[in-house]
Amino acid sequence: MRSESCDIFCNVVDNYGDIGVCWRLARQLANEHGLAVRLWVDDLRSFGKLCPELDAGLAEQRCRGVEVRRWNADFPVVEPSTLVIEAFACRLPQSYVGAMAVREPKPVWLNLEYLSAEDWVEGCHKLPSPHPSLPLTKYFFFPGFTKKTGGLLLERDLLARRDAFQGDGSAKTSPTPALPRGEREFWRNLGVPERVAGEVRVSLFSYENEAMEGLLRGWEQGGQLVTCLLPEGRSLPQVAGYFGLQAGIAGDVWQRGNLRVQVLPFVEQERYDELLWACDVNFVRGEDSCVRAQWAAKPFIWQIYPQHDGVHLAKLEALRMRYTAGLPPETAQTVRDLWLAWNGGPDIAGAWAHFAAQRGVLTRHGAEWARRLESNNLALNLLDFYRQTE
Ligand code: TRH
């Protein structure tokens, strides 16, 4: 059998989602499925935030089983891989496309699209798009939530690691399992104090948000102690401003009323999963952290990446509908109200209070939801399609 290789091209437009997804997929294809993977990235500095062992000064390096190459304007002459993944419609170098066209057999060329829960995705998944002048066909590959889509990225051992972290393993070994061992160690390593009775721990990863002040005030004045774990990034200035400060850095702790905010460093991807597993509720954004929150199986609130034409709201609604289907109407309504309030709607503090009251139901639902999604694995689906198409 011919050895399988894969080139993944990633253009980091903005934020961390594009490289977050590509890096996850690259590692999975290399380490779980044995492909020789080359990842071409035009911004190694953003990448380095997700994977601190990466050296952003190097044009070529091996990292966690993947060959990482800086994607410069002057693209080198290379032999294309058998599988070529163009992430999020980034444009491949012309010289590379030319080399694909003369390779025999032709590489399988996929455009990995953004995630959406909307119905139309099923109709577009795997559609071919012939090249206008070269003997090449590109296929659209859509992640998604149904069997007729490409599914979601999920590492082979993720859910077992999550379960061990959240308690299944530690309860047996600890004589006083007040908190699962994984979680206890995680908080200690981050310098976050032990939980107190009745406290709610919330991670907050978001963009600038008009509802921020209302949310923080709701927590401050609410009836429960809220510890908010805030990774450094775009929402930090707003939260610092709420406490009357110009700025903040990792390690800062601010407290007022029933709200305690602790600023965290931006951690590598695996540690971020642990943060989601350890918190009671997670605020997430964009694409990749939203999926990770679903694997964490905890109640979550999604801030969708805003688009100027407002189309993002249909996307928000599509996921909300799928996720809340089958929930008791009252619980589904609290999810709707809080998601909307966090994406431009009214009364975030009231929406939070109702949502928090439904936390038990939503936590059980989160586990059931993750179980429903886990059999639709993007890397496996993608490899099946590649092998059938080749
Ligand atoms: O960074 P994002 O806002 O990325 C967005 C979206 O992907 C959006 O769809 C896209 O169009 C836009 O960029 C250009 O959010 P996202 O997708 O959640 O990516 C964040 C990544 O950062 C994810 O892989 C998790 C990771 N992360 C860490 O590794 N450590 C951290 O401490 C945090 C907070 C996140």
Side-chain angles (χ1 to χ4, degrees), residues 337-368:
D337 292 347
L338 187 54
W339 283 31
L340 283 180
W342 193 233
N343 287 276
D347 188 21
I348 185 97
W352 165 260
H354 289 123
F355 183 93
Q358 298 290 322
R359 217 152 45 80
V361 184
L362 285 168
T363 305
R364 286 189 291 281
H365 174 66
E368 167 55 28

Side-chain angles (χ1 to χ4, degrees), residues 78-378:
V78 293
E79 169 79 1
S81 291
T82 54
L83 169 63
V84 176
I85 300 175
E86 159 186 326
F88 314 118
C90 66
R91 288 168 73 94
L92 300 191
Q94 257 183 12
S95 60
Y96 184 87
V97 176
M100 284 166 72
V102 294
R103 193 189 201 287
E104 286 303 340
K106 300 272 182 285
V108 176
W109 181 5
L110 304 182
N111 173 21
L112 177 66
E113 280 287 351
Y114 285 113
L115 172 65
S116 172
E118 290 164 294
D119 290 338
W120 60 261
V121 168
E122 290 187 347
C124 296
H125 178 51
K126 296 185 185 170
L127 279 187
S129 165
H131 192 279
S133 55
L134 295 171
L136 286 170
T137 299
K138 175 159 71 179
Y139 295 89
F140 293 98
F141 198 91
F142 278 87
F145 293 86
T146 66
K147 288 285 181 193
K148 290 184 180 163
T149 68
L152 299 174
L153 278 171
L154 172 62
E155 295 81 1
R156 194 179 271 164
D157 62 348
L158 185 84
L159 301 184
R161 285 194 288 115
R162 177 201 66 190
D163 291 345
F165 179 95
Q166 289 180 337
D168 290 5
S170 62
K172 295 184 199 98
T173 52
S174 165
T176 49
L179 255 194
R181 196 181 50 210
E183 193 184 321
R184 220 174 31 233
E185 278 169 16
F186 175 76
W187 292 127
R188 195 178 315 121
N189 291 339
L190 277 178
V192 180
E194 295 266 319
R195 280 171 184 270
V196 299
E199 173 189 342
V200 187
R201 290 218 162 156
V202 177
S203 76
L204 181 60
F205 179 44
S206 70
Y207 307 113
E208 299 76 9
N209 194 316
E210 283 176 15
M212 183 69 81
E213 200 186 326
L215 180 66
L216 298 176
R217 186 166 309 108
W219 286 343
E220 181 191 333
Q221 297 174 354
Q224 256 181 325
L225 177 63
V226 173
T227 296
C228 168
L229 288 316
L230 177 72
E232 276 181 313
R234 285 177 61 172
S235 41
L236 180 54
Q238 254 196 306
V239 180
Y242 181 79
F243 286 90
L245 302 164
Q246 293 289 326
I249 54 163
D252 283 350
V253 177
W254 307 314
Q255 183 143 14
R256 217 158 70 192
N258 257 342
L259 169 63
R260 182 177 178 283
V261 172
Q262 179 151 351
V263 183
L264 302 182
F266 193 96
V267 290
E268 63 182 307
Q269 266 185 334
E270 287 81 355
R271 298 287 83 70
Y272 180 63
D273 277 327
E274 292 177 355
L275 177 66
L276 298 172
W277 300 342
C279 284
D280 304 309
V281 177
N282 295 302
F283 283 71
V284 287
R285 74 182 202 194
E287 174 169 330
D288 193 49
S289 58
C290 178
V291 173
R292 305 315 278 185
Q294 293 171 68
W295 298 137
K298 296 290 183 75
F300 72 100
I301 298 94
W302 184 30
Q303 184 181 14
I304 191 165
Y305 184 75
Q307 286 165 276
H308 295 302
D309 45 12
V311 290
H312 58 285
L313 291 175
K315 248 175 107 165
L316 179 79
E317 187 63 0
L319 178 58
R320 195 215 30 102
M321 297 268 285
R322 284 192 197 283
Y323 172 67
T324 60
L327 274 173
E330 184 194 1
T331 314
Q333 185 66 33
T334 63
V335 174
R336 179 173 189 274
D337 292 347
L338 187 54
W339 283 31
L340 283 180
W342 193 233
N343 287 276
D347 188 21
I348 185 97
W352 165 260
H354 289 123
F355 183 93
Q358 298 290 322
R359 217 152 45 80
V361 184
L362 285 168
T363 305
R364 286 189 291 281
H365 174 66
E368 167 55 28
W369 175 251
R371 268 194 296 276
R372 251 189 270 165
L373 298 177
E374 73 184 68
S375 60
N376 199 11
N377 186 304
L378 189 137

